[in-house]
């Protein structure tokens, strides 16, 4: 079951009458997503790009659970597009998901996505490593639930 149409509907109702720029950009993005999915189908690189735009706006509004849903849908779509030879940025999407999970305090999941991003990235690996390190230095992180280190 595709949750995106229902989420679009709820977010449009919530943001349509707001005057701030982020809300108006979000409404524009949600309408663009509806249009792109209708015209191009749900499996298209342009749809993935709009999902990223919406996820980013929701992140800035601190609607982290909803932003996570849009980024996860983007990742699912990008994984399908890679199989079709499309040039998409799975590494960036994994990094975005990791960041949201870190903000939500879901540290083990965040590390998984940061590591995945790092593996996929072909450039500077330092950025991913520093983000993984940031998870372990987060003040709210309790490392007592980590498995013991093995060598």
């Amino acid at each position: 079951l595709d949750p995106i149409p229902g989420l679009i509907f709820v977010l449009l109702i919530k943001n349509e009458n707001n005057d701030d720029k982020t809300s108006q950009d979000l409404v524009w993005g949600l309408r663009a997503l509806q249009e792109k999915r209708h015209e191009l189908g749900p499996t298209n690189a342009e749809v993935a790009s709009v999902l990223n735009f919406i996820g980013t706006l929701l992140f800035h509004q601190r609607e982290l659970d909803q932003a996570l849903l849009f980024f996860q849908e983007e990742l699912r779509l990008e994984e399908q597009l890679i199989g079709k030879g499309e040039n998409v940025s799975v590494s960036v999407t994994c990094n975005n998901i990791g960041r949201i999970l870190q903000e939500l305090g879901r540290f083990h999941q965040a590390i998984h996505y940061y590591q995945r991003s790092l593996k996929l990235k072909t450039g500077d690996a330092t950025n991913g490593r520093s983000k993984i390190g940031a998870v372990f230095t987060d003040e709210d992180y309790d490392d007592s639930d980590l498995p013991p280190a093995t060598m």
Side-chain angles (χ1 to χ4, degrees), residues 112-126:
H112 166 77
Y113 281 97
Y114 282 144
Q115 288 173 332
R116 185 170 173 199
S117 174
L118 188 59
K119 281 183 191 176
L120 293 168
K121 201 169 194 172
T122 58
D124 178 22
T126 309

Side-chain angles (χ1 to χ4, degrees), residues 47-89:
V47 172
S49 178
V50 177
L51 288 165
N52 178 281
F53 177 75
I54 293 168
T56 301
L57 291 171
L58 289 168
F59 177 82
H60 290 294
Q61 285 186 330
R62 306 307 295 161
E63 297 286 347
L64 299 179
D65 289 318
Q66 293 171 351
L68 182 60
L69 290 172
F70 279 91
F71 283 124
Q72 287 172 328
E73 179 65 13
E74 178 190 6
L75 179 61
R76 186 192 66 73
L77 179 55
E78 287 176 340
E79 289 170 337
Q80 291 177 359
L81 292 170
I82 283 178
K84 295 178 180 181
E86 293 278 342
N87 182 19
V88 291
S89 133

Side-chain angles (χ1 to χ4, degrees), residues 34-51:
Q34 286 177 317
E35 183 179 308
K36 299 257 184 231
R37 285 173 61 121
H38 178 73
E39 290 177 4
L40 305 171
T43 309
N44 184 283
E46 288 184 42
V47 172
S49 178
V50 177
L51 288 165

